[in-house]
Amino acid sequence: MALRDLQIDWLHCLVAVVDAGSLSAATVQLHRSQSAVSMQLKKLEDAVGHRLLERGARRLELTEQGRTLLGYARRMLDLQTEAQAALQPAVLSGRVRLGVPDDYAATYLTPVLRRFAPRHSGVEIELNCEQSTALIPRVERGELDLALISRDHARRGRLLFHEPMVWVGSPLLELWRRDPLPIAVYEDISLARRGAIHALALQGRRYKVVYHSSSLAGQLAAVESGLAVAALTQCSAPAQLQVLGREQGLGPLAPMQVAAYRSKASRGNAAVDELERLLVQTLRMARGVG
């Protein structure tokens, strides 16, 4: 079978539909009609000789060949963007208001800023560290340009990867043996709190909230001092704490969907464009996500 060239527009459609979750949702990003998007995907499938997307129960799902092609598509689109930037080396300036939860800052934001800062010294980064539930409305109000968040629903922002959640406790005190289980949690609307309590409810485990804090430092202080066990993102769990599981009578926790979320007001801002591009590219590459 003769191989056909893969058009950038076709690949752009595939990535947009996967990120948006549906053809109709992707039309906004692509500025095309639903029929036009469908036609582009059909041309791509004809070119590679495989079906790439199947309709699932709630959203479109990638076939095995689709998952393989998606990784290449993202890399090709990133390379195109880099080539365009190299040929038009505009000097970026201005300010980007960036949000990130405490538990993602060191692990995930540091490598992004390490790439961004030397290239764009004229851009000022204003960093805001808060829980995702506080960052999301600030992005929607235009108070922040861009944020790395834990998704509160499937269409919020651009999905980057899934972050595992783990139970942690002090290995010296074995609080997991207590009934009810003493737990430390974030504020009432926190996704981590909801996930922890839901997991305990599913296994019929009795618990008692003995400490709550809106900060990661507060959670760690409660666990390290022996007040409670807590549910944390895997990336934020320090080595000195014990990760708990079925052996300690604690069931699995649902992972967080980590996404890049951008304000509508920042569209067309070149500095935000570039930081968002590097954020998505760096974190997807680091986590091996297509």
Side-chain angles (χ1 to χ4, degrees), residues 24 26 45 47 50 56 70 104 164 182 193 221 250 258 261:
S24 59
E45 289 180 331
H50 294 286
L70 179 64
Y104 295 155
R193 176 181 180 136
L250 289 167
V258 182
Y261 190 38

Side-chain angles (χ1 to χ4, degrees), residues 34-75:
Q34 188 167 330
S35 61
V37 174
S38 181
M39 181 61 69
Q40 295 285 71
L41 290 175
K42 180 66 168 58
K43 290 179 179 178
L44 180 58
E45 289 180 331
D46 289 345
V48 299
H50 294 286
R51 189 157 180 81
L52 302 174
L53 293 163
E54 300 283 0
R55 186 167 297 281
R58 296 185 178 179
R59 53 187 284 141
L60 291 173
E61 296 177 356
L62 287 165
T63 63
E64 181 180 352
Q65 293 81 8
R67 286 192 294 272
T68 299
L69 181 59
L70 179 64
Y72 288 105
R74 293 196 193 282
R75 288 160 58 187

Side-chain angles (χ1 to χ4, degrees), residues 146-191:
L146 179 66
L148 186 66
I149 60 164
S150 295
R151 267 179 166 179
D152 55 349
H153 64 71
R155 292 188 178 180
R156 179 84 68 193
R158 299 174 66 181
L159 179 64
L160 303 181
F161 58 87
H162 290 79
E163 173 67 26
M165 294 290 296
V166 294
W167 290 106
V168 295
S170 168
L172 303 176
L173 299 170
E174 300 189 350
L175 294 181
W176 53 86
R177 298 183 182 277
R178 295 187 184 177
D179 184 28
L181 178 73
I183 62 172
V185 293
Y186 288 104
E187 70 277 12
D188 289 345
I189 59 174
S190 163
L191 299 174

Side-chain angles (χ1 to χ4, degrees), residues 65-263:
Q65 293 81 8
R67 286 192 294 272
T68 299
L69 181 59
L70 179 64
Y72 288 105
R74 293 196 193 282
R75 288 160 58 187
M76 291 166 74
L77 292 174
D78 285 339
L79 189 59
Q80 177 190 240
T81 301
E82 288 183 13
Q84 290 170 333
L87 294 172
Q88 298 177 355
V91 177
L92 294 181
S93 61
R95 180 180 63 159
V96 178
R97 299 166 299 174
L98 178 64
V100 63
D102 289 345
D103 46 348
Y104 295 155
T107 303
Y108 297 129
L109 193 58
T110 299
V112 176
L113 296 181
R114 189 180 292 127
R115 294 181 66 190
F116 184 87
R119 303 180 191 183
H120 308 293
S121 58
V123 178
E124 175 189 352
I125 304 292
E126 179 185 305
L127 187 60
N128 296 262
C129 289
E130 298 179 83
Q131 291 297 305
S132 294
T133 46
L135 294 173
I136 289 169
R138 294 192 65 191
V139 172
E140 292 176 338
R141 292 193 298 264
E143 296 172 6
L144 295 176
D145 301 308
L146 179 66
L148 186 66
I149 60 164
S150 295
R151 267 179 166 179
D152 55 349
H153 64 71
R155 292 188 178 180
R156 179 84 68 193
R158 299 174 66 181
L159 179 64
L160 303 181
F161 58 87
H162 290 79
E163 173 67 26
M165 294 290 296
V166 294
W167 290 106
V168 295
S170 168
L172 303 176
L173 299 170
E174 300 189 350
L175 294 181
W176 53 86
R177 298 183 182 277
R178 295 187 184 177
D179 184 28
L181 178 73
I183 62 172
V185 293
Y186 288 104
E187 70 277 12
D188 289 345
I189 59 174
S190 163
L191 299 174
R193 176 181 180 136
R194 279 186 253 166
I197 291 176
H198 180 66
L200 293 172
L202 284 178
Q203 68 178 110
R205 182 74 188 264
R206 297 202 311 157
Y207 67 90
K208 179 181 180 182
V209 175
V210 298
Y211 185 93
H212 73 268
S213 170
S214 61
S215 72
L216 173 63
Q219 298 292 308
L220 294 177
V223 177
E224 291 175 347
S225 63
L227 288 177
V229 302
L232 303 179
T233 50
Q234 187 177 69
C235 67
S236 67
Q240 67 269 25
L241 295 181
Q242 182 175 348
V243 174
L244 313 174
R246 295 195 182 279
E247 291 185 5
Q248 292 81 26
L250 289 167
L253 293 157
M256 291 292 175
Q257 295 184 14
V258 182
Y261 190 38
R262 181 170 177 176
S263 72

